[in-house]
Amino acid sequence: MIRARPIAAAGVLLILSTTGHALGVSPYLPLNLDPQIERQIERVLILADKPVLSRPIPAAVVLEALPKACAVDAVLCAQVGRYLQRYMHQAGVTYANVEGATASGSGTKSVDPNRYGMREDSGYQVAAQVYVQPSDYVLLDAGAVVYEGHTDWTGTMVSLGWEYAQLDVGFRPHWLSPLTGSSMLMSTEAPTMPSWTISNYEPLTSLGITYQLFEARMSHSDRIVWQDGFTSGNPLLGGIQIAFEPASGWSLGLNRLVQFGGGARGNGNLQSLFRAIFNPARYSNTNPDLSVDQKATNQEASFTSSLIFPGKVPFEVYAEYAGEDTSRGRSYLLGNSALSWGIHFPRLWQRFDLTLEATEWQNAWYVHSVWLDGMTNYGIVVSNWFGDQRVFGDGVGGRSAMAQLWFDDWWGGQVELRYRTLQNQVYGVVPYQHYHDVTVGYSHPLGALTVGAEFDAGQDVFGGSFTRLAGFVRFGDGDSSRDTGGPDPEPSPRDAGNQVLIEAGINELRVNTDLTEDPATHTTGPFRTGAHFAVGARRAVSDNSDLGTHVEYDELQGTALLGVRLIDYRYRFASPLAFTAFFGAARYNLATPAYGYYFGMGLQWRDILPHVDLSTDLRYYDSVARDHLLPSDPHANRPDSFYDIWGGVLALTYHF
C-alpha cells in the first residue's frame, strides 16, 4: 500500500526508504482518461530512464522513478508527486471526469480512437474511479466510463498480492505496446473486458524481468464456426507478456494473444491451448492439414523494444513488430506482419512535448476463419484503431501515422495539437478514402479542478466528414502551473557515452526469390551493389557495452529495403576495434510491402577519423514475406511469396 505522507520532490526519497520489504499491491494510473497528467507521467518516466512497454502504469513504478526525474526537472517531479497523493490514503477518488460535446457530419458514427468504444457523436462521457485499501495487500476499486449507448466498468476490480505477484480480477484495461497512439495487440479501442491478470511491477533478477498473464471474457458472438455450422457464446482472450530491462533505459518485450473457446467450443481444451501457444505453426489458422474444429486458437504476437536517450535533449525511440499468425510453417516467423515505430521528445525547448508515430500492416488483421467476428468486443476491435476504419471483416492492409505536440503556456495551461492519418490499401474492391483527423485542445487548472475544451475535425475512410466540440471538467489535477522557462540542466554523468549517428556506405546483397510452391519459381540472383544509409542513436550501458537503435535504408535492385533494429549491440575492446550484433524487422518495398526479420554481426574500427567509425557487417533477411493480393500476382495454393536476402555492408558512421 502507498501510505499518505508529503510527496514534494524533497520527500520522495524518504517515502521509498521507509517502504517495507513487501510493498503490497499497487493501484494503476488512468489510461486514456486524463491526457494531461498521463503525458506528464510519461515525461517523468523518460527523464527517469524508465521505458514503458505496457499500460496501465502502476503508481508504484512512477513513485520509484521520481527521484531520478527530479535531478532533471524538479518542478515536473513535484507536480506529478502532488498528483500521486490521491493514491496514498486508505480510501479516495483517483479520477473523475465529465465531458459534454456536440458533433455533426456524416462520419460521426465512427469510433473515436482509443476511448473505450465511444463514437464521435456521443454527447457526453463521464469517467470516475474510487478505491478502498484496507491492507497493503488488498485494494478494492470501483470505476466506470459512461457514454451514449454503453456503460463500461473500466477500473472496477479487486487487487490482491504484492510487488512480485499481483492478481487483478475485474475490468482492468490492457495495452501491450510502447506506442501511445496505437497498439497492434491490445489497446483501449473497445470497451474493457472482465478478466483476471497476474503480474509484477517490481522487476525480477538482474535482467529486469516483468511479466503479465491474463484471461478475458469477450462479448457474445453468434458467428463461431463449429463442425458443419455455427455455435454461439463468449470467446475467451488470453494474453502473456514477458519484458526485460537488462540495462537502464532499454527494454525488450515479447507478447502473445490468443482467442479461443465460446459456445460448443467450451472454455477451450487446456492441452490444445498450450499446444497452440507453444507450437503455433502446427495449430495455427494457416495450417491446411487441420480441420476447422482442430484449429484451437486465433493468434497474434509481437516483439517490442524501447530505448531512452538521456542527453541534453532526451528522447525515447520505440518499435513494435507484430504478426497476425505464423509464416512459412515456422513458429518463430510472424505472418501478416505489422511494423510500428515512434519517437518521443518530452522536453523540446523546455515547453514542448513532441511525439511522432507510424504503423504499416499487411492484410488479414483482426479477421479469422473460425471466430468470424475476429478479436472484437461489442463489435469493436480490441487492438489498433485502424480496425474500425474499414468494412467489417475486410482484413485490408494499410498505414497510419500520428503527430502530437503539447505546449505548456506561460499561465499554467496546456495546449494539445494532434494529427492522425490513415490510408487503407485498395485492391479494387472497396474504394477506401484517406482518413485524417485534426485535434486542438486546451486545459487549465482552476483550484482543485482542470477545465478545458477540445475540437476535433476530420474525414473517415468512407468519405464521411465529422466535427466534434467538447468541454470537460476533471477532478484533482491540482495546480499544474510550472515555470518552464529556466535554463537547461547541467550535463549529468549519464550523458557520457551517448551518441547520435549518421551512416553512409555501400551494400553487396543477393536475393533468393520463392514465388510459389512450384520449384520453377525459385530463383537466386547475383550479388548486387547498392547504397546504404542509416540514422540512429546509442548509449553506453557498461564500461565496454553499448545499446542503441538504427533505422536503415538499403537499395536492392533499385528497390528500397528498410530495417528497424529492435536490438543493436556493440562491445568495445581495449583496442579501437568493436564487435557489433543486431536483430530487427525489415520492409521490402515491392508492389505491396513485404516484411520479415533480419539479423547480423560485424566489426567496427572506432574513430578512424575524429568522430568517424568504419563499420562492416554480414546480415541475413529471413523469409521476408509478401501476400498475393493483386490480379498480377501468381495464382497458387500458397498465398504468399518469400524473399531470403543476404550479404554485407561497408559504411562510415559519423557520431556526435
Side-chain angles (χ1 to χ4, degrees):
M1 178 179 179
I2 306 178
R3 296 290 188 185
R5 45 174 65 92
I7 192 171
V12 174
L13 287 175
L14 175 62
I15 294 173
L16 294 177
S17 66
T18 56
T19 303
H21 293 292
L23 300 179
V25 298
S26 173
Y28 297 102
L29 300 175
L31 179 57
N32 289 327
L33 292 170
D34 193 342
Q36 287 74 25
I37 192 63
E38 291 179 52
R39 178 56 54 177
Q40 291 162 6
I41 289 167
E42 297 276 355
R43 290 178 185 175
V44 162
L45 294 174
I46 292 177
L47 298 181
D49 237 12
K50 184 65 179 176
V52 175
L53 295 184
S54 67
R55 297 169 179 86
I57 300 169
V61 171
V62 181
L63 183 65
E64 186 176 0
L66 280 175
K68 199 169 184 179
C70 286
V72 184
D73 192 332
V75 178
L76 174 66
C77 172
Q79 181 183 0
V80 172
R82 285 194 300 270
Y83 174 82
L84 291 179
Q85 287 185 72
R86 68 185 64 184
Y87 295 93
M88 298 183 182
H89 309 281
Q90 289 188 338
V93 179
T94 56
Y95 59 83
N97 310 330
V98 178
E99 176 183 292
T102 180
S104 63
S106 58
T108 55
K109 296 299 181 182
S110 297
V111 177
D112 200 350
N114 302 322
R115 299 198 66 181
Y116 298 93
M118 188 184 80
R119 300 187 184 275
E120 294 281 357
D121 61 355
S122 178
Y124 63 88
Q125 185 196 68
V126 179
Q129 184 186 52
V130 298
Y131 71 93
V132 176
Q133 188 161 8
S135 162
D136 287 353
Y137 310 103
V138 179
L139 176 63
L140 309 176
D141 288 294
V145 178
V146 183
Y147 49 82
E148 284 192 33
H150 188 77
T151 296
D152 178 28
W153 297 104
T154 292
T156 298
M157 56 187 165
V158 177
S159 300
L160 308 169
W162 65 101
E163 65 270 29
Y164 298 116
Q166 176 168 323
L167 174 65
D168 305 307
V169 180
F171 290 81
R172 176 197 190 275
H174 298 84
W175 183 288
L176 300 179
S177 175
L179 279 77
T180 59
S182 63
S183 173
M184 289 303 299
L185 265 61
M186 199 77 176
S187 74
T188 61
E189 174 73 0
T192 304
M193 295 171 283
S195 66
W196 62 261
T197 304
I198 185 168
S199 62
N200 68 315
Y201 62 84
E202 187 71 17
L204 299 169
T205 78
S206 60
L207 293 176
I209 299 173
T210 57
Y211 70 90
Q212 64 172 292
L213 174 68
F214 67 88
E215 181 180 280
R217 183 175 182 266
M218 309 184 81
S219 59
H220 186 86
S221 174
D222 293 322
R223 305 202 309 154
I224 305 171
V225 176
W226 177 249
Q227 295 181 354
D228 295 327
F230 296 91
T231 184
S232 299
N234 294 83
L236 300 178
L237 187 66
I240 185 171
Q241 180 190 66
I242 303 293
F244 306 87
E245 189 180 351
S248 178
W250 182 77
S251 287
L252 178 71
L254 310 175
N255 306 281
R256 287 292 308 278
L257 205 62
V258 292
Q259 181 183 23
F260 61 100
R265 289 182 174 271
N267 291 330
N269 179 282
L270 192 60
Q271 181 182 10
S272 298
L273 175 62
F274 273 90
R275 285 188 303 187
I277 290 176
F278 294 106
N279 190 5
R282 172 69 179 87
Y283 296 95
S284 72
N285 181 50
T286 58
N287 191 335
D289 298 328
L290 295 182
S291 70
V292 168
D293 298 338
Q294 291 175 311
K295 294 175 180 178
T297 62
N298 177 14
Q299 308 177 46
E300 297 172 0
S302 70
F303 295 89
T304 58
S305 72
S306 178
L307 173 74
I308 294 175
F309 185 86
K312 186 176 181 180
V313 180
F315 60 87
E316 181 181 17
V317 181
Y318 41 87
E320 175 184 22
Y321 182 60
E324 193 277 335
D325 218 312
T326 57
S327 180
R328 215 173 190 177
R330 304 174 189 175
S331 293
Y332 69 91
L333 291 177
L334 298 182
N336 305 110
S337 301
L339 178 61
S340 306
W341 68 269
I343 186 168
H344 180 191
F345 296 92
R347 299 179 76 247
L348 277 178
W349 304 293
Q350 294 292 315
R351 294 185 180 277
F352 294 91
D353 180 309
L354 176 64
T355 301
L356 303 173
E357 296 182 353
T359 299
E360 184 176 64
W361 59 95
Q362 294 178 308
N363 62 300
W365 277 91
Y366 315 137
V367 297
H368 200 262
S369 61
V370 176
W371 292 269
L372 299 185
D373 289 328
M375 288 192 181
T376 64
N377 196 40
Y378 294 102
I380 301 172
V381 298
V382 302
S383 312
N384 196 305
W385 61 271
F386 77 74
D388 293 314
Q389 286 291 328
R390 60 184 183 177
V391 173
F392 188 84
D394 182 14
V396 64
R399 60 176 65 95
S400 66
M402 182 195 77
Q404 186 175 44
L405 180 69
W406 290 87
F407 168 65
D408 297 319
D409 69 22
W410 291 269
W411 304 279
Q414 287 186 309
V415 179
E416 178 193 8
L417 303 174
R418 184 182 63 218
Y419 176 68
R420 291 191 185 104
T421 182
L422 163 67
Q423 181 63 65
N424 289 328
Q425 292 176 347
V426 177
Y427 309 128
V429 180
V430 181
Y432 291 112
Q433 298 188 38
H434 187 192
Y435 172 100
H436 59 87
D437 176 4
V438 177
T439 299
V440 180
Y442 182 74
S443 62
H444 195 279
L446 186 64
L449 305 175
T450 296
V451 298
E454 182 177 278
F455 178 72
D456 192 24
Q459 173 185 283
D460 65 20
V461 296
F462 306 109
S465 62
F466 58 87
T467 60
R468 186 172 191 268
L469 177 63
F472 57 82
V473 178
R474 294 180 178 136
F475 158 74
D477 286 0
D479 179 15
S480 63
S481 60
R482 49 189 277 110
D483 177 11
T484 56
D488 289 336
E490 294 295 325
S492 66
R494 66 180 185 153
D495 294 334
N498 299 331
Q499 295 179 346
V500 176
L501 317 170
I502 300 175
E503 186 172 277
I506 59 172
N507 65 58
E508 284 281 335
L509 300 172
R510 69 187 306 179
V511 183
N512 178 67
T513 302
D514 179 3
L515 294 180
T516 69
E517 295 170 318
D518 185 350
T521 66
H522 296 203
T523 60
T524 300
F527 278 103
R528 299 289 181 90
T529 302
H532 168 85
F533 301 99
V535 295
R538 71 164 61 100
R539 56 178 295 178
V541 295
S542 72
D543 291 340
N544 296 95
S545 296
D546 302 326
L547 285 169
T549 185
H550 268 56
V551 177
E552 47 193 348
Y553 163 89
D554 285 276
E555 182 188 18
L556 177 58
Q557 299 178 346
T559 300
L561 179 63
L562 302 178
V564 176
R565 297 188 184 182
L566 302 174
I567 301 174
D568 187 20
Y569 174 75
R570 181 176 77 166
Y571 183 86
R572 291 172 274 108
F573 297 102
S575 67
L577 291 178
F579 167 79
T580 61
F582 53 89
F583 167 81
R587 179 191 188 275
Y588 194 19
N589 190 35
L590 300 173
T592 57
Y595 277 97
Y597 299 124
Y598 79 114
F599 53 88
M601 61 181 62
L603 291 174
Q604 185 178 84
W605 190 291
R606 295 181 290 122
D607 293 318
I608 190 171
L609 295 172
H611 299 283
V612 177
D613 303 329
L614 177 64
S615 305
T616 183
D617 65 60
L618 299 176
R619 54 182 59 195
Y620 180 70
Y621 299 78
D622 187 5
S623 302
V624 180
R626 176 184 172 271
D627 291 338
H628 298 162
L629 300 168
L630 305 178
S632 57
D633 288 333
H635 296 283
N637 291 330
R638 197 183 70 195
D640 38 21
S641 298
F642 299 100
Y643 304 85
D644 294 312
I645 305 166
W646 67 96
V649 169
L650 179 67
L652 292 173
T653 304
Y654 181 81
H655 56 82
F656 53 93

